[in-house]
Amino acid sequence: MTATCQVLRVGGLMAYSTCTYNPIEDEAVVSSLLARAHAISPGAVVLETWPAHVLPSLVRHAGLSTWGVADHQERSSLAAGSCNDADWSDEEEEVRLRWHASKASATAAGMTHSVATMWPPSATQAKWMKLDRCSRLLPHDQNTGGFFIALLRKTARFGSAFASGASGASLPEASMTHNEPAKTANGGAGSNDQKGKEGKP
């Protein structure tokens, strides 16, 4: 995605789409790209609203601005009789999710594959990123597949630092007020459950 944005002409429009509801593969990827571009040239890449004339009857849900990050823990990996094993009820599945408020807490818990950009942007960043302009399509709305779509417009040039990541731009490790966020109508963990209207994400 970074390489594609690098070669995109100024004024060009790029679509980023997935067939997953996981915000770490959706909004987190978009917010990471926006943050990197913003650090080099504010406003060089922006999220576009869905064009009103394109599939006006398509039911879309707004993108998320916050979400939870988790990994899974297998009961078989716990030592028999340990404190963690004692907390596991007999009715629970053999695998359960562990929610992490930040990269630091995830690393401390043994989530070695975590990176800071998996966590949502700060409230200040989320405001200018306008992640609600992303679109989430849910199968039960119109008997379709499930998709995530983000339309990104390149408005200015940026140097090789963007592709190499030399700018050092990254998202802060946002603090979560709860270990396990509530599920939203968008089918994921987060707080933005506003349903996009036709032609207006």
Side-chain angles (χ1 to χ4, degrees):
M1 187 175 177
T2 299
T4 302
C5 195
Q6 179 76 6
V7 300
L8 186 67
R9 67 175 176 81
V10 175
L13 185 66
M14 175 176 70
Y16 174 69
S17 178
T18 73
C19 55
T20 176
Y21 302 135
N22 187 350
I24 295 175
E25 297 182 54
D26 297 339
E27 289 89 351
V29 175
V30 173
S31 62
S32 178
L33 176 74
L34 292 173
R36 180 179 292 187
H38 183 82
I40 298 172
S41 179
V45 180
V46 296
L47 271 169
E48 292 274 299
T49 57
W50 186 276
H53 65 282
V54 176
L55 300 175
S57 62
L58 184 65
V59 177
R60 293 170 289 104
H61 298 259
L64 306 176
S65 59
T66 186
W67 52 86
V69 178
D71 67 345
H72 70 273
Q73 183 178 37
E74 296 182 10
R75 188 172 190 176
S76 60
S77 67
L78 303 176
S82 67
C83 291
N84 288 334
D85 182 54
D87 292 339
W88 212 301
S89 69
D90 292 336
E91 290 75 24
E92 284 190 83
E93 299 291 338
E94 289 300 308
V95 176
R96 68 179 177 185
L97 293 177
R98 299 186 303 174
W99 297 90
H100 308 289
S102 66
K103 182 183 184 302
S105 65
T107 301
M111 185 179 174
T112 57
H113 61 279
S114 66
V115 293
T117 52
M118 294 169 67
W119 278 263
S122 67
T124 300
Q125 286 179 310
K127 186 175 182 179
W128 63 258
M129 286 180 178
K130 297 180 172 61
L131 293 174
D132 60 310
R133 291 182 175 180
C134 298
S135 297
R136 286 174 162 257
L137 279 60
L138 305 183
H140 63 268
D141 285 332
Q142 294 178 305
N143 194 28
T144 65
F147 292 97
F148 169 87
I149 306 170
L151 301 177
L152 298 133
R153 179 84 63 183
K154 183 176 179 179
T155 64
R157 296 184 184 278
F158 29 71
S160 59
F162 177 78
S164 65
S167 65
S170 62
L171 298 177
E173 297 173 8
S175 297
M176 306 291 289
T177 54
H178 301 286
N179 288 333
E180 185 173 353
K183 300 296 181 181
T184 72
N186 282 342
S191 65
N192 187 351
D193 60 356
Q194 180 181 357
K195 182 176 180 180
K197 296 180 180 178
E198 294 180 3
K200 295 182 180 180

